[in-house]
Amino acid sequence: MTTAFINGRILTMDESTPNAAAVVVHKEEIVAVGEEALLNAYPDAERYDLGGKLLIPGFIDAHCHLSIAALHPRWANLEEVHTLDELREALRKQAQREPEAQWIRGYQWMPGLGGPKVTRHDLDQMGFDRPVILAHFTLHQGVVDSRGLELLGIDRRTVAPKGGVIVHDRQGEPTGRLLESAWSEANARSLAAYGQRERWGELVAQRGRMLLADGVTAVHDAACSPAAEGLYRSLAARGDLPISVLAMPHPAALFSNRNRTRLDGPLTGDGDAWFRVGPIKLFADNGTSGAIRATRDGEPVEIGEIFSLLPEGVLEATRKGFRVAVHALGNFGVEHALDAFAEAQSARPGFDHRFRLEHAGLASSDQIARMAELGVIGVVQPGFVDAFARARDSYRYDGIGLLPFGEMAAKGVRLAASSDDPCVFSGPIGTALCGATRRSRDGIELGPEQALPLSEWIRGYTINAAFAGGQEHERGSLTPGKRADLVLLDGALHADNPPQVVETWVAGAKVWSDTRAAPAGGDNGSARRGAR
């Protein structure tokens, strides 16, 4: 089947042909882009009338956690829980929903952002018959009850693992709150029973189909465990992945920089357009606040932890032939990551390192200039404006930019856009609006001088995200030879009146359409082909 898309605005993201009047797709591939005259070479192509709407490449979410987000519907959603009574009720319903589950698990716990502050004693008093665990919305910390601490072997004498924190009260007893690597074991224990591949695969496919409604046709799963990587491979082999996945390998234990077993496996780039291996994922600092070394009004401030083994991890991975992506939220974490990148670049000159810095939430002008010099890609989350705006006074430091997107772009750092879903809301248009307006969804402003136009965020979600994943040869722009992943938008790229996703196409097939929107395609709509 050959389809010619006409009668609309076509934004290709290809610098050689930024705009076009027609795009021709044959089977799964784009075969021609340009003026309508090229249609003479395709007389049998089905004409698809865009009805004046905007056609762009499919969105690529360059940093999300699909394999984890897929499981969230199984658990108690605590996002709208504000009191201990509401928490007890949410957990009670969860216990009833899954009577055989070994742990009662809640997610999107948001203390300090409207959610209740909780200790193990609060959870103990709720009287449940199984251990209880609450996962913080960042997925970098949580709290467990006394049963949970006992199962984990944690008491007042337990030494926290490197890179982790076991919070204690004034009497020296653990409060149940665990951070970073101390949290990872609790998280893994409570997740163990959810790893049954068949059910997990169904949930991943279901979550992928939901993302199609936002125009997302591909994701980079940041920190992809061995089990998740195996699951994606299986789904892809069976043809059950509704969207493309780039796996960023990481050990089962969260926040570890030691992944030597995986370094003997398939390298970055292995796979096909449905499933591909991406960069190895490593950590420079913690994810709750980031590692920050700065001054505020001239007074020194030190927050957070630097993770061990990062320089060794980057060197080992690049020597094996992997690219790397490093989580760095605070300015001290960014410095740690840049030092590791510079060392790896010197050790292996000529290699296409394509270093990725995930988040880069706080950075100085000198650090941003160094990012540009090293060719580092900033994989950033415009939706973070929504969360950071509410706590902006806590992140005010001398000479340190908070989510400095505008300065990064001005200094030549390529920005790939992403959501960090499920930690933050995921729709590309919605998150891009936060980056374009520098306002939270409830109207709080955060550093408007760091705003970037909506069109730049669309670029970040397409060709720049593809480049960050080493996928620019197969997706990210409407270019002959690339995969026909397409999104149809109704409206202009203006932040004050943003467009809406009305159709999503994957590999040349229309897989989602907004039934409320005026239909494109006339009588020849391509809904004849179903979602993969």
Side-chain angles (χ1 to χ4, degrees), residues 159-167 178-183 255 305 307:
V159 177
K162 184 70 174 175
V165 177
I166 299 173
V167 178
L178 307 171
L179 284 71
E180 306 300 338
S181 59
W183 153 255
F255 319 126
E305 298 290 333
F307 280 34

Side-chain angles (χ1 to χ4, degrees), residues 84-423:
L84 288 177
D85 286 341
E86 291 174 350
L87 176 61
R88 181 187 296 108
E89 180 62 14
L91 295 175
R92 183 189 67 79
K93 290 179 179 178
Q94 175 64 18
Q96 289 181 338
R97 229 178 356 253
E98 293 193 319
E100 303 302 321
Q102 296 175 348
W103 293 69
I104 300 171
R105 184 174 168 99
Y107 75 100
Q108 293 296 88
W109 175 48
M110 305 179 75
L113 291 174
K117 295 182 179 179
V118 179
T119 69
R120 65 183 174 101
H121 302 296
D122 297 315
L123 297 176
D124 293 346
Q125 290 172 11
M126 294 181 184
F128 294 109
D129 60 352
R130 286 165 278 164
V132 177
I133 184 167
L134 310 184
H136 194 264
F137 74 96
T138 63
L139 297 178
H140 281 256
Q141 61 167 296
V143 63
V144 301
D145 65 353
S146 294
R147 274 196 187 89
L149 289 178
E150 185 177 352
L151 284 173
L152 294 164
I154 295 175
D155 59 25
R156 65 183 299 140
R157 295 177 299 276
T158 305
V159 177
K162 184 70 174 175
V165 177
I166 299 173
V167 178
H168 295 80
D169 61 23
R170 292 181 179 178
Q171 288 72 45
E173 296 292 336
T175 66
R177 190 175 179 189
L178 307 171
L179 284 71
E180 306 300 338
S181 59
W183 153 255
S184 66
E185 176 63 20
N187 186 56
R189 289 274 195 101
S190 69
L191 286 175
Y194 294 96
Q196 301 95 335
R197 181 164 291 191
E198 182 176 349
R199 179 61 176 141
W200 193 11
E202 291 172 359
L203 292 170
V204 166
Q206 179 180 326
R207 177 65 181 165
R209 287 190 291 271
M210 291 174 61
L211 295 178
L212 292 171
D214 289 324
V216 175
T217 60
V219 298
H220 300 173
D221 191 330
C224 189
S225 70
E229 188 174 349
L231 175 68
Y232 285 137
R233 287 186 185 277
S234 176
L235 290 171
R238 298 201 311 261
D240 289 338
L241 272 179
I243 62 176
S244 298
V245 174
L246 182 87
M248 296 165 62
H250 191 271
L254 293 172
F255 319 126
S256 170
N257 285 334
R258 189 174 295 281
N259 200 10
R260 286 177 176 167
T261 300
R262 180 60 185 81
L263 295 182
D264 292 327
L267 295 173
T268 300
D270 178 80
D272 60 20
W274 285 105
F275 174 79
R276 196 174 294 285
V277 177
I280 291 286
K281 174 68 180 296
L282 301 168
F283 285 83
D285 64 2
N286 58 303
T288 303
S289 63
I292 300 168
R293 300 293 185 272
T295 62
R296 179 181 292 144
D297 299 326
E299 295 297 321
V301 178
E302 292 191 7
I303 299 173
E305 298 290 333
I306 286 294
F307 280 34
S308 63
L309 302 177
L310 177 64
E312 299 91 331
V314 174
L315 279 172
E316 286 177 343
T318 54
R319 282 171 175 161
K320 283 280 189 176
F322 286 92
R323 290 174 180 155
V324 293
V326 175
H327 165 111
L329 183 62
N331 72 308
F332 196 43
V334 168
E335 191 71 21
H336 191 43
L338 294 177
D339 287 345
F341 291 157
E343 184 178 354
Q345 191 175 76
S346 297
R348 192 172 182 187
F351 180 65
D352 184 4
H353 291 278
R354 210 171 294 197
F355 298 119
R356 291 175 49 140
L357 199 57
E358 313 291 312
H359 309 310
L362 293 121
S364 68
S365 293
D366 288 346
Q367 289 172 332
I368 293 171
R370 194 176 176 204
M371 288 174 64
E373 181 183 351
L374 289 168
V376 173
I377 303 160
V379 182
V380 298
Q381 298 74 40
F384 274 17
V385 169
D386 185 60
F388 277 83
R390 300 178 221 175
R392 61 193 185 281
D393 290 340
S394 300
Y395 291 95
R396 180 180 58 80
Y397 301 105
D398 303 334
I400 305 295
L402 176 55
L403 306 180
F405 306 141
E407 187 174 359
M408 288 182 186
K411 282 187 163 64
V413 176
R414 189 192 296 257
L415 298 182
S418 61
S419 68
D420 203 16
D421 178 49
C423 303

Side-chain angles (χ1 to χ4, degrees), residues 45-74:
E46 176 183 0
R47 268 49 171 176
Y48 194 87
D49 190 338
L50 297 172
K53 297 180 176 66
L54 177 63
L55 186 71
I56 64 172
F59 291 131
I60 304 165
D61 190 337
H63 182 117
C64 75
H65 303 278
L66 173 60
S67 56
I68 296 174
L71 290 167
H72 274 194
R74 297 284 301 270

